[in-house]
Amino acid sequence: MNSTPAGDARTRAVIYCRISQDRTGAGLGVDRQREDCEALAERMGWDVVEVYVDNDVSAFSGKLRKDYRRMLADLDEGRATVVIVWHTDRLTRSIVELEEYIELSDRRGIATHTVQAGTIDLATPSGRMTARILGAVARQESEHKGHRVARARQQKAMAGEWAGGIRPFGWGVPTGEMRTKVDRKTGEEVEAPVLDMTKAVPEEAEALRFWTDEILSGGSIRSLVKWCADKGVLTTRGNPVTHTDMRDMLLRPRNAGIAVYRGEEVGRGKWEPIVDEAKYRAVVAILKDPARTVNQGAQPKWLGSLLYRCGRGECPHFVYVTQSGGRQYPSYRCQTGHGGGRRADIVDQFVEDTIVERLERPDAHELLEPAPDGVDVAALQAESEQIRARMRDLGGLFGAGQIELGAFTEGMDTARAQLEGVTRQLARAATRDPLAGLVGAEDVRAAWKALDLERQRAALRSLVEVTLKTPRPGRMPDGGYFDYSAVVFDWKRG
């Protein structure tokens, strides 16, 4: 900045610099603007009292430009009488903002000078007209640029190409080439490998397949998040995997080789899928099922927590485990809090023994859900592609004005209903029976013990409903005090 000699009153000026997209983060575009603006101030003999910078912020997007707003406030306080910008489109591309700036300039006697377009005299009608014309031209350029960028991204998506962004978990194998980028945390330039987004990262692909199979076998997102924490698996940003991260990764169409644009599937991608489409559709159906219980709170520690029903009278509620009331042992009690309790360890062991005994019988194979008959996965996949092609064609016809809104809406509703039916069939073909690993096992009890609690609960949920009736008082015929007959099994299969 220039210094002002004592007694020499010089014009006070401020500089405003902005660049809408800084791909490297180095701020080089802003630096060039600043140098040119400072050179103009030097030629004119002005004192630069402040430089305001908004880096990587668009004047067209409507997002807050902090330094621009700070500059307006300072100008309103009389800090300077001249604003220097590289070009008028660096100042604003919004008609509303321009009118606000014109009003402030007129009220405070602010002169605007540009490096590229000379002086903009906002005190005269012709000067204001010139500013408005330049603003309208700048806005049109922004709109055209936005359209070109959106169209380019759409074309990439339609062609199955990677459109950029955060690296999706599962893809991105180094090509051996390097590129320079700026570390967003340190601001320093670093060398980074160029990634081939059509190739899968082996260990991440294996994890995706494992997670998919776990969900199809009755596992939960919560158990998979814990698995990631135990294994040290992180997101592609290097953060611990959260419940939301896991769900998003499982629901990503890219897993099945499907390209997406603006949230809509647009066709096959130019990469090999990591997960079979049928399995992917099944996972989507499971995770988006409205009846699915979503609980990100404390992980259940007992087999029947919120699965066993309370059997006191007509009570419709489930039981949970508590150790309240000074009792020595954890007990199952109704959610409503009405009296009594059953020792949780004894109930769970009895339920486990009963399930294992049932699965050890010679006819246990009859408990398995029958495999879907006549499901042609390849044909269903081809049918889904045809339906999506029709939806794209309808969108094109409507956009070109060749069909009316009513016909477009009716056609899209029909296509969506057909696509939903195909998706359900694909999901049905891939969903795995939670009992599949137990029935026919050489040692059923060992197979049961090998399951984690979430899988055991999934098997219990699919096989039987357990109700804890009011127990008989006193000593039982076996000499103990636990009434096993009050634990009632309502088998859902067989």
Side-chain angles (χ1 to χ4, degrees):
M1 296 183 185
N2 299 324
S3 60
T4 304
D8 183 10
R10 300 178 63 179
T11 299
R12 290 170 292 116
V14 296
I15 293 174
Y16 179 72
C17 303
R18 178 189 63 80
I19 186 170
S20 61
Q21 189 175 54
D22 184 359
R23 294 191 179 277
T24 67
L28 299 179
V30 166
D31 288 343
R32 286 191 291 268
Q33 290 179 39
R34 178 173 180 165
E35 290 172 3
D36 289 350
C37 290
E38 287 178 341
L40 175 60
E42 186 70 29
R43 291 196 302 271
M44 302 298 293
W46 297 329
D47 267 342
V48 177
V49 297
E50 184 68 273
V51 177
Y52 304 90
V53 176
D54 284 312
N55 191 24
D56 204 17
V57 179
S58 171
F60 176 66
S61 65
K63 293 182 180 179
L64 177 65
R65 290 184 288 153
K66 294 182 179 179
D67 258 26
Y68 177 76
R69 303 310 306 181
R70 188 165 66 89
M71 179 184 72
L72 295 187
D74 287 349
L75 291 174
D76 202 21
E77 292 293 327
R79 186 168 189 186
T81 58
V82 171
V83 174
I84 306 172
V85 292
W86 194 79
H87 192 278
T88 53
D89 63 6
R90 298 298 88 192
L91 192 63
T92 178
R93 291 191 175 192
S94 164
I95 302 300
V96 175
E97 279 189 347
L98 177 60
E99 293 300 325
E100 178 189 21
Y101 183 77
I102 288 174
E103 189 276 331
L104 174 63
S105 299
D106 184 56
R107 178 160 46 87
R108 294 301 184 194
I110 307 298
T112 303
H113 293 259
T114 73
V115 173
Q116 292 291 306
T119 304
I120 305 296
D121 186 0
L122 299 178
T124 65
S126 60
R128 290 193 289 271
M129 180 186 71
T130 300
R132 288 172 179 135
I133 291 173
L134 291 173
V137 171
R139 183 175 182 85
Q140 182 190 40
E141 290 176 352
S142 289
E143 290 175 346
H144 278 304
K145 179 182 177 182
H147 178 74
R148 290 196 303 271
V149 170
R151 181 57 181 159
R153 288 177 177 172
Q154 182 183 22
Q155 287 178 336
K156 281 190 173 183
M158 296 291 287
E161 297 177 5
W162 173 242
I166 300 170
R167 181 179 77 82
F169 189 90
W171 283 270
V173 176
T175 62
E177 299 178 11
M178 302 295 290
R179 65 183 179 92
T180 302
K181 72 171 189 176
V182 174
D183 189 309
R184 290 187 177 274
K185 294 182 180 179
T186 65
E188 298 179 353
E189 290 189 356
V190 295
E191 290 293 309
V194 176
L195 303 178
D196 184 348
M197 301 305 297
T198 67
K199 293 183 179 179
V201 178
E203 58 273 18
E204 293 182 2
E206 190 62 33
L208 275 172
R209 284 189 284 266
F210 171 73
W211 299 340
T212 297
D213 288 341
E214 284 293 294
I215 294 295
L216 296 179
S217 300
S220 67
I221 288 181
R222 178 168 42 202
S223 66
L224 296 182
V225 170
K226 182 179 183 301
W227 180 90
C228 289
D230 293 342
K231 300 289 186 181
V233 176
L234 304 175
T235 68
T236 56
R237 284 181 166 180
N239 300 322
V241 176
T242 65
H243 187 281
T244 301
D245 292 331
M246 177 58 67
R247 192 173 190 275
D248 289 346
M249 287 189 286
L250 287 167
L251 292 177
R252 184 177 289 131
R254 184 182 179 90
N255 297 350
I258 300 168
V260 174
Y261 178 68
R262 290 187 175 179
E264 295 288 335
E265 296 180 11
V266 294
R268 310 303 302 181
K270 292 184 178 179
W271 59 85
E272 287 297 320
I274 288 176
V275 176
D276 291 338
E277 183 178 351
K279 288 188 174 183
Y280 165 73
R281 300 293 182 194
V283 166
V284 171
I286 291 170
L287 297 184
K288 292 190 174 181
D289 182 359
R292 179 179 173 85
T293 301
V294 179
N295 179 17
Q296 299 182 33
Q299 184 172 353
K301 297 180 180 179
W302 298 89
L303 179 63
S305 183
L306 299 181
L307 292 182
Y308 301 158
R309 284 194 175 275
C310 174
R312 290 179 175 271
E314 300 298 323
C315 182
H317 297 283
F318 295 92
V319 298
Y320 72 107
V321 176
T322 178
Q323 205 165 354
S324 61
R327 293 182 176 272
Q328 184 178 0
Y329 303 103
S331 300
Y332 280 112
R333 293 180 179 276
C334 182
Q335 290 174 291
T336 64
H338 58 64
R342 309 298 302 278
R343 273 189 57 170
D345 56 342
I346 297 178
V347 174
D348 279 359
Q349 188 60 57
F350 180 51
V351 170
E352 176 185 315
D353 292 342
T354 303
I355 290 176
V356 169
E357 187 276 331
R358 179 66 188 90
L359 297 179
E360 287 176 335
R361 295 182 191 178
D363 66 345
H365 64 278
E366 297 178 2
L367 299 175
L368 293 174
E369 294 285 357
D373 297 326
V375 177
D376 188 337
V377 172
L380 287 171
Q381 290 173 336
E383 185 177 348
S384 70
E385 290 297 322
Q386 292 172 357
I387 295 171
R388 290 189 181 88
R390 289 207 308 273
M391 294 170 73
R392 291 195 296 271
D393 291 342
L394 281 170
L397 291 172
F398 179 68
Q402 296 181 28
I403 58 173
E404 298 296 328
L405 177 60
F408 168 74
T409 303
E410 182 179 354
M412 291 296 284
D413 288 345
T414 300
R416 288 194 183 98
Q418 292 172 345
L419 188 59
E420 182 179 353
V422 171
T423 300
R424 287 181 176 178
Q425 287 298 305
L426 283 169
R428 179 170 167 263
T431 304
R432 188 182 179 195
D433 192 331
L435 303 182
L438 298 170
V439 174
E442 184 176 347
D443 186 337
V444 175
R445 187 173 297 277
W448 173 270
K449 293 288 189 184
L451 298 178
D452 60 32
L453 182 60
E454 289 287 350
R455 297 279 293 278
Q456 290 177 349
R457 285 167 58 84
L460 166 66
R461 191 184 295 111
S462 71
L463 179 61
V464 63
E465 183 174 85
V466 177
T467 302
L468 305 184
K469 297 286 188 180
T470 304
R472 294 171 293 174
R475 190 181 293 274
M476 298 297 111
D478 63 359
Y481 289 91
F482 189 90
D483 185 6
Y484 290 97
S485 67
V487 182
V488 179
F489 294 83
D490 182 14
W491 299 95
K492 299 178 180 180
R493 305 191 194 184

